[in-house]
Amino acid sequence: MPPRSPRPVDKFDDDDYPAYTMGRAAEMIGTAPAFLRTLGDHRLITPLRSEGGHRRYSRYQLRIAARARELVDAGTPIEAACRIIILEDQLEEAQRINESLRTRGATS
């Protein structure tokens, strides 16, 4: 998983701010809006909704979608691509926790 930015100064620096419409998000990662809807159907990303009910994506979600597109373009079925990304995210979190525990243990 791509790293998130530490502390946003404002919403424009916030990786989780839902700044992009579906059309713009799809254009940015070079895919069709249907691909983003499919990622939502597989619960890989869940876009926020505007007051009008339109999907809005954050930069963090776009990085996840771009990773899914890489895997799908390489021939991985979308279901498997979503699972791979979820497992990558879990592994990264476990490694972060292990490193934190090692660091804490070394300073004790």
Side-chain angles (χ1 to χ4, degrees), residues 20-36 57 62 69:
Y20 304 99
T21 63
M22 178 180 281
R24 181 68 179 126
E27 178 184 315
M28 289 173 71
I29 63 170
T31 191
F35 182 77
L36 293 172
Y57 296 88
L62 293 184
R69 180 162 186 248

Side-chain angles (χ1 to χ4, degrees), residues 5 10 14 19 22 24 31 37-38 44 50 57 65 71 76 86 93 98 107:
S5 58
D10 62 30
D14 186 353
M22 178 180 281
R24 181 68 179 126
T31 191
R37 281 191 293 275
T38 300
L44 182 62
S50 68
Y57 296 88
L71 291 168
T76 306
I86 290 166
E93 180 64 16
N98 285 341
T107 60

